[in-house]
Amino acid sequence: MNKHIKTLVGFKNGTKSVAKDCFYDLWDALDEILSAFKKIGFVIFAFMIWILSLALICILPLATWLRVKWERDAEIESKKAAQEYADQMTCLHNNRGINDQHLNR
């Protein structure tokens, strides 16, 4: 009977040892997975910084150039509209001038 008890105690201690080894292997695997996620996060962070710098270097100057161009075009159109309005308000408008010449004959 003593040999059976020693066998059971040995089996119990062996299974504890195997369970601890499996737990530590699992812990190491989870640590490796966490490390992999950290590296993936770092890569994504670096990519986002690269995209932001690309936007600052390339896209913002283009947007500024387009904004200045559109403001200049709007100013020219505004001046044209103001000139056309001023021309319509004068008494010497082309159509009235032609009509007045026919009336004077």
Side-chain angles (χ1 to χ4, degrees), residues 46-57:
F47 184 71
M48 295 305 288
I49 294 297
W50 182 76
I51 292 291
L52 180 65
S53 64
L54 179 69
L56 291 175
I57 292 170

Side-chain angles (χ1 to χ4, degrees), residues 62-77:
L62 176 65
T64 303
W65 178 77
L66 287 172
R67 182 183 54 83
V68 168
K69 181 180 177 284
W70 291 334
E71 286 176 355
R72 188 173 38 236
D73 291 346
E75 185 179 337
I76 291 170
E77 290 296 321

Side-chain angles (χ1 to χ4, degrees), residues 21-77:
D21 288 342
C22 288
F23 176 75
Y24 291 132
D25 288 343
L26 178 65
W27 190 259
D28 289 341
L30 290 176
D31 189 40
E32 291 295 323
I33 289 173
L34 183 63
S35 176
F37 281 136
K38 285 180 183 177
K39 289 194 188 276
I40 290 171
F42 179 73
V43 168
I44 290 172
F45 177 73
F47 184 71
M48 295 305 288
I49 294 297
W50 182 76
I51 292 291
L52 180 65
S53 64
L54 179 69
L56 291 175
I57 292 170
C58 297
I59 296 171
L60 288 179
L62 176 65
T64 303
W65 178 77
L66 287 172
R67 182 183 54 83
V68 168
K69 181 180 177 284
W70 291 334
E71 286 176 355
R72 188 173 38 236
D73 291 346
E75 185 179 337
I76 291 170
E77 290 296 321

